[in-house]
Amino acid sequence: MSIELRNLRQFVAIAELGSYRRASQALFIAQPALSVSIRKLEEAVGAPLLTRGARGVTLTQAGAALLADARRALFHADQG
């Protein structure tokens, strides 16, 4: 399965906003659709990226490692 820029944008939004709810509002998509998209990204990467908690979302080690690469990929895609 390939990783799409859309999935990376959604992942970065969740990581930066700390919440699926706030990210879904900022991205103008339904929260269940966002959850499905992140699950697909996690399947493509082969590791969980986010952990949901009572106070929001935290990155796993794999999520923290992917975040910098995702930001870089999005930067270069936007520059292109």
Side-chain angles (χ1 to χ4, degrees), residues 5-60:
L5 290 176
R6 173 180 52 86
N7 299 113
L8 293 179
R9 280 192 180 89
Q10 293 168 348
F11 168 69
V12 169
I14 295 169
E16 290 177 348
L17 297 173
S19 163
Y20 275 79
R21 181 184 54 80
R22 284 185 278 183
S24 68
Q25 291 172 340
L27 296 167
F28 302 104
I29 62 173
Q31 187 174 339
L34 182 59
S35 295
V36 168
S37 179
I38 295 303
R39 250 192 321 272
K40 289 180 181 180
L41 179 60
E42 289 174 330
E43 288 174 13
V45 171
L49 301 172
L50 302 162
T51 304
R52 289 185 189 207
R55 296 188 177 251
V57 174
T58 57
L59 293 170
T60 63

